[in-house]
Amino acid sequence: VTPETSAVTPETSVATSEAFAATLPPRFELVYAPLFRALAPDVGPEVYPAALEFVYEGYLAHYRVSRLLGPDTSVATRLLAGDHFDASGLRLVARAGDLDAVRLLTRLMASCSWLRAEQQPFAYDDDLWALCVAGVASSASGGNAFAALRLFDDVGRLFERGRVERLPEVVRRGAATLW
């Protein structure tokens, strides 16, 4: 872990958690960092896995159950903490100079926000998360990040046309174009 990323490891996320008066769960489980590492095993440093986990924690704080914030955390604090986690993850990727990954993450955030506003199944969010992680891994590996960005364009068209139920099919079909 480099000095630039040492502040964003799960162990040092304690400081962020404490800043929002939370207690850490007994086990801090990484969700998308292992997928990224499986898709892009030769990519270093740990900027990308840390960034993905930070943005995911922001998503959890906003829409699901946070891994870092306690159950009694107020809604306002959850939103503020979620924004902080999102910004921290985006900052890491931006500092690494990967603007395609920043675009993918912001498209993911916007798409999940729309899905939550429309009260769609959380499984759709999970599909978009997997797509985004694959796209970020492809971008970090010098692959085809534009294919993933085009898939988010396709997802946006599904939203516009009221065809969101086709999202899993579009994501599965398009994921094959990333490698």
Side-chain angles (χ1 to χ4, degrees):
V1 176
T2 65
E4 292 81 24
T5 62
S6 63
V8 294
T9 62
E11 294 79 18
T12 56
S13 292
V14 173
T16 301
S17 178
E18 289 172 352
F20 292 101
T23 57
L24 283 174
R27 188 172 150 220
F28 184 87
E29 187 172 324
L30 300 177
V31 176
Y32 288 105
L35 175 59
F36 176 87
R37 287 187 189 109
L39 293 172
D42 299 327
V43 172
E46 292 294 307
V47 168
Y48 291 96
L52 289 166
E53 291 298 334
F54 256 122
V55 174
Y56 188 60
E57 186 60 34
Y59 166 80
L60 293 175
H62 285 142
Y63 305 116
R64 287 186 171 178
V65 178
S66 171
R67 300 172 292 185
L68 295 174
L69 303 175
D72 296 332
T73 305
S74 72
V75 172
T77 300
R78 281 184 160 326
L79 292 174
L80 178 62
D83 290 349
H84 169 79
F85 292 127
D86 286 341
S88 296
L90 291 172
R91 187 192 91 235
L92 283 173
V93 176
R95 286 178 70 190
D98 191 342
L99 296 184
D100 288 333
V102 171
R103 285 184 194 105
L104 283 166
L105 287 165
T106 57
R107 296 292 299 276
L108 169 70
M109 293 161 65
S111 296
C112 288
S113 179
W114 186 91
L115 289 168
R116 293 305 92 236
E118 295 296 318
Q119 299 179 341
Q120 295 295 319
F122 279 105
Y124 293 168
D125 297 42
D126 298 339
D127 290 338
L128 291 178
W129 266 97
L131 168 65
C132 184
V133 171
V136 169
S138 180
S139 178
S141 301
N144 191 358
F146 293 110
L149 288 166
R150 281 193 301 273
L151 283 170
F152 274 100
D153 290 340
D154 293 343
V155 167
R157 284 189 284 281
L158 291 177
F159 294 171
E160 291 169 1
R161 295 176 182 151
R163 301 293 310 267
V164 70
E165 74 281 353
R166 293 195 56 231
L167 187 145
E169 170 195 339
V170 168
V171 168
R172 275 192 304 276
R173 191 177 62 239
T177 66
L178 299 180
W179 298 99

